[in-house]
Amino acid sequence: MPLAESQVVSQTVPMFAATYAWIFLGERWHLSEFFSALAAIAGVVFIVRPAPFFLQEAASTAGGDRALGVAFGLLSAVSSGGAYVIIRLLGTRVKVHWAIVLLYQALGQMFFCPLGMLIAQQRYVALDKLQVALCLLCGLLGFWSQAAMTWGMQREKSATASLARQGLAPVSALILQLVFLPGDAVLWTTFAGFGCIITGLAVAVVAKTRRSSAATPSPLSS
């Protein structure tokens, strides 16, 4: 599926993270979280573009591979939501340093990647110099992205930073797609799906910020 659409689907992570936090950490769900979840579902519908509702758009992007891409994108969001909750738990309750968490994440990838190759019936393939350079660059960018996310998740839940991260990822992906993958189609449903998801996220973040401010006693009152 197009790069921008895959990033829009990944913005459903907060919905799954909030669900895990409610189940395993006992965090309450408020009306804003329910609205955010419904907005995320609406955003995914725009990306999936089911034929009964989007006949023209569904016909222009038909194909089993794309449907499989959406399914795996949602599976990634489900997994990432659980990882965010565990990282937060490790940083606030168990008090594990972020570098140690990052090390075990890397070890887990090294362990599960060969298993994934076996499941996908893949085998080792020698890469040329350009492919090696691009793979190393991808690994470097992924490492620093994961490191920054782990460090930030363990130390502070900033409303502004959270909204910026979730909002800028699809925008950056769209720009990169237009520059490097101009052949991939960009439909109006991509922007509609992103608008639904980021609106729901913004409502949840603003509501949480107001609740936190109301729960914090004023210095004058003390």
Side-chain angles (χ1 to χ4, degrees):
M1 59 187 303
L3 178 63
E5 291 188 358
S6 66
Q7 284 298 309
V8 172
V9 172
S10 72
Q11 301 315 298
T12 58
V13 170
M15 179 184 70
F16 296 109
T19 303
Y20 289 135
W22 171 56
I23 296 174
F24 298 107
L25 302 180
E27 295 184 4
R28 292 179 55 193
W29 264 48
H30 299 81
L31 183 60
S32 57
E33 276 82 6
F34 281 107
F35 174 81
S36 179
L38 292 176
I41 294 173
V44 172
V45 170
F46 276 110
I47 298 301
V48 175
R49 294 190 286 271
F53 304 100
F54 303 93
L55 292 175
Q56 182 177 355
E57 292 80 1
S60 63
T61 56
D65 290 342
R66 185 181 176 282
L68 189 63
V70 174
F72 274 96
L74 289 175
L75 179 60
S76 173
V78 170
S79 302
S80 297
Y84 286 178
V85 172
I86 293 174
I87 290 173
R88 183 66 178 170
L89 182 65
L90 288 171
T92 56
R93 298 187 184 181
V94 188
K95 303 296 182 181
V96 178
H97 194 274
W98 67 269
I100 298 177
V101 177
L102 194 63
L103 171 64
Y104 277 88
Q105 288 175 328
L107 292 175
Q109 291 176 355
M110 293 180 62
F111 174 78
F112 287 110
C113 279
L115 181 61
M117 290 182 63
L118 291 176
I119 295 175
Q121 298 181 351
Q122 297 293 311
R123 59 183 178 84
Y124 173 79
V125 177
L127 305 179
D128 58 34
K129 294 182 179 180
L130 177 60
Q131 292 172 332
V132 170
L134 291 176
C135 286
L136 291 176
L137 178 60
C138 180
L140 178 64
L141 293 175
F143 169 80
W144 286 113
S145 173
Q146 193 72 23
M149 186 275 293
T150 303
W151 189 89
M153 287 290 294
Q154 284 201 342
R155 278 161 176 76
E156 184 176 1
K157 296 181 71 174
S158 171
T160 303
S162 175
L163 185 59
R165 179 184 181 278
Q166 298 298 122
L168 288 178
V171 174
S172 301
L174 177 60
I175 295 174
L176 293 174
Q177 176 179 318
L178 294 175
V179 173
F180 296 103
L181 302 169
D184 289 348
V186 179
L187 302 179
W188 67 270
T189 51
T190 303
F191 299 98
F194 169 69
C196 288
I197 295 174
I198 200 65
T199 298
L201 178 62
V203 169
V205 169
V206 171
K208 183 174 180 60
T209 303
R210 290 182 176 179
R211 290 194 301 270
S212 299
S213 301
T216 303
S218 174
L220 296 178
S221 63
S222 57

